[in-house]
Amino acid sequence: MKLRVPSFYSDFHCIASACHDTCCAGWEVDVDVDSQARYAKVSGTFGEELRSKIVDGHFVLTANERCPFLNAQNLCEIYCHLGEKALCDICREHPRFVDVFGDVVEQGVGLCCEEAVRLLLNANAPLSFIEKEIEADEEFLDAESLDARNSMFEIRTEIFTRLADRNRSLSKRLADILQFTASFSAEEKVCPAADLRTIWKHQTAVLLQGESLGAEWDFAKSQIAQALEERGFGKGSIPWTESEGEKIVAYQIFRYFAKSLYDGDMLSKVKFAVYFFLVLQNFGGELSSVQKEPSLQICAVKLLSKQLEYSDENMDALAHAFFSNSYFSTGAFLRLLDENA
């Protein structure tokens, strides 16, 4: 089986207490059945504490929404007492993601993690990948599905190639990959005859109306709403290099584009990647208004990733908009990108 990972993947490791954020707060931490069975055998006072804080298959968070085993130094007491192998599945694997497509498995690290964002943005070259053969269970694909997968990977590779062409402006490259992907898609909604401010207001409305994943987002959301009224569509208050934008878009295409093998919707995956960066470009300052370390760019990416990518409700709302809302049509995105050119 072939494993494909971003070139920085092997450099990733949890930086624990050095992180300005923590994965162990603000999330419900599910405890898998095997881990519960292991914890049932832990002896002594710590074992009793461990079992007492698991209710209905998850750790009971503290009043300030921290995992009960996250200490004052942002270190995991389970790790400290029992070692890494004792961590439950989600704590051991998060923020990694894994997708299997027949005899190809792709792995990466979610952009809700500041160390993942740092590694992505610090690379000078366009996003690249490392492949190697591994022993793992394959997902069965019949001949027709295998052909579809290979075709999908070829299209994605062409998207990566066009996106990495630094002889053109990023706006032109983003417009190009949208039009290229649209050429493989069914006819879609026509862009409404509206000004850019109206188009952007409709696009931002889906972001602002979504499920909130915490107080940090609630504050950023209020700031975004105010900025939208004050300046409409345009450059935000923190700078983004074209290289940063290119890598962010490419990474989101890596994470989501191949899923079109199962839903047939390649275009929405590219729209999401472009939309993700347009939100960062316009509201990066607002997204980083609560936490400013280690950098405004990293804070903006990780908050937006957490709010969108880790909410099924919010991702479903965007997927529906990309497919059926004329303000999210390819033409609407092209008009916004033309303004940025």
Side-chain angles (χ1 to χ4, degrees):
M1 193 169 190
K2 181 185 293 183
L3 170 67
R4 180 181 294 125
V5 298
S7 56
F8 64 79
Y9 187 77
S10 62
D11 295 328
F12 174 79
H13 66 276
C14 176
I15 59 175
S17 59
C19 186
H20 297 83
D21 202 351
T22 175
C23 296
C24 307
W27 308 86
E28 183 175 275
V29 184
D30 294 327
V31 185
D32 57 281
V33 175
D34 290 343
S35 294
Q36 290 185 57
R38 288 199 302 273
Y39 297 160
K41 300 175 183 177
V42 177
S43 60
T45 303
F46 185 71
E48 293 175 5
E49 181 184 7
L50 187 56
R51 290 183 289 276
S52 71
K53 293 179 178 177
I54 299 175
V55 176
D56 295 331
H58 61 266
F59 290 128
V60 179
L61 301 183
T62 65
N64 54 354
E65 294 194 324
R66 288 168 66 89
C67 173
F69 296 101
L70 182 66
N71 65 26
Q73 290 74 43
N74 278 348
L75 295 174
C76 173
E77 291 289 352
I78 297 176
Y79 187 105
C80 294
H81 280 80
L82 306 175
E84 182 178 4
K85 291 183 179 179
L87 296 177
C88 58
D89 287 351
I90 194 168
C91 294
R92 186 169 53 252
E93 297 300 328
H94 184 79
R96 299 168 182 84
F97 60 85
V98 180
D99 291 302
V100 180
F101 307 99
D103 60 351
V104 175
V105 57
E106 297 191 333
Q107 295 182 1
V109 190
L111 296 184
C112 65
C113 168
E114 71 179 47
E115 179 65 2
V117 181
R118 186 190 69 80
L119 290 169
L120 174 66
L121 297 185
N122 280 4
N124 292 321
L127 181 66
S128 60
F129 305 95
I130 295 172
E131 297 180 354
K132 66 179 181 179
E133 294 295 325
I134 62 169
E135 292 291 331
D137 293 333
E138 298 181 6
E139 174 194 59
F140 173 76
L141 294 179
D142 60 28
E144 183 178 356
S145 297
L146 192 59
D147 287 343
R149 184 208 64 180
N150 293 340
S151 176
M152 176 272 298
F153 278 151
E154 288 175 2
I155 293 170
R156 191 181 67 172
T157 297
E158 177 62 21
I159 290 172
F160 286 145
T161 300
R162 293 176 182 227
L163 192 53
D165 180 8
R166 294 181 174 179
N167 292 317
R168 297 183 298 164
S169 71
L170 179 60
S171 292
K172 290 187 181 300
R173 284 178 273 163
L174 298 183
D176 181 27
I177 63 173
L178 280 165
Q179 291 173 304
F180 172 68
T181 312
S183 69
F184 297 96
S185 305
E187 186 175 354
E188 61 170 342
K189 300 286 185 180
V190 175
C191 175
D195 58 35
L196 294 178
R197 186 184 188 94
T198 300
I199 292 173
W200 187 236
K201 275 193 170 184
H202 278 271
Q203 289 200 2
T204 306
V206 177
L207 178 72
L208 298 180
Q209 292 167 5
E211 171 191 24
S212 172
L213 266 63
E216 192 175 30
W217 170 253
D218 291 337
F219 182 78
K221 174 182 171 180
S222 67
Q223 299 290 100
I224 290 171
Q226 181 178 341
L228 182 63
E229 290 301 318
E230 291 176 353
R231 64 174 184 260
F233 179 79
K235 296 293 193 296
S237 56
I238 64 173
W240 296 89
T241 67
E242 296 218 328
S243 173
E244 289 170 336
E246 169 202 309
K247 287 178 288 190
I248 289 167
V249 173
Y251 196 74
Q252 295 293 38
I253 289 173
F254 167 67
R255 179 164 189 179
Y256 293 107
F257 190 85
K259 296 181 188 294
S260 63
L261 178 65
Y262 303 109
D263 64 18
D265 189 3
M266 295 186 291
L267 183 55
S268 288
K269 310 303 184 291
V270 177
K271 286 181 180 179
F272 174 75
V274 173
Y275 179 72
F276 191 91
F277 180 63
L278 286 178
V279 172
L280 290 172
Q281 195 175 43
N282 281 267
F283 301 124
E286 289 71 28
L287 288 164
S288 59
S289 57
V290 174
Q291 186 180 329
K292 303 180 184 300
E293 298 291 341
S295 77
L296 297 180
Q297 287 81 0
I298 289 176
C299 292
V301 173
K302 71 177 183 179
L303 179 57
L304 186 61
S305 173
K306 184 185 297 185
Q307 173 63 21
L308 292 183
E309 297 183 82
Y310 294 85
S311 165
D312 290 340
E313 179 180 321
N314 292 339
M315 291 297 281
D316 288 346
L318 280 172
H320 178 73
F322 294 141
F323 185 76
S324 62
N325 188 328
S326 60
Y327 287 100
F328 285 84
S329 64
T330 301
F333 277 109
L334 294 178
R335 288 187 59 192
L336 293 175
L337 291 168
D338 185 59
E339 178 72 8
N340 274 358

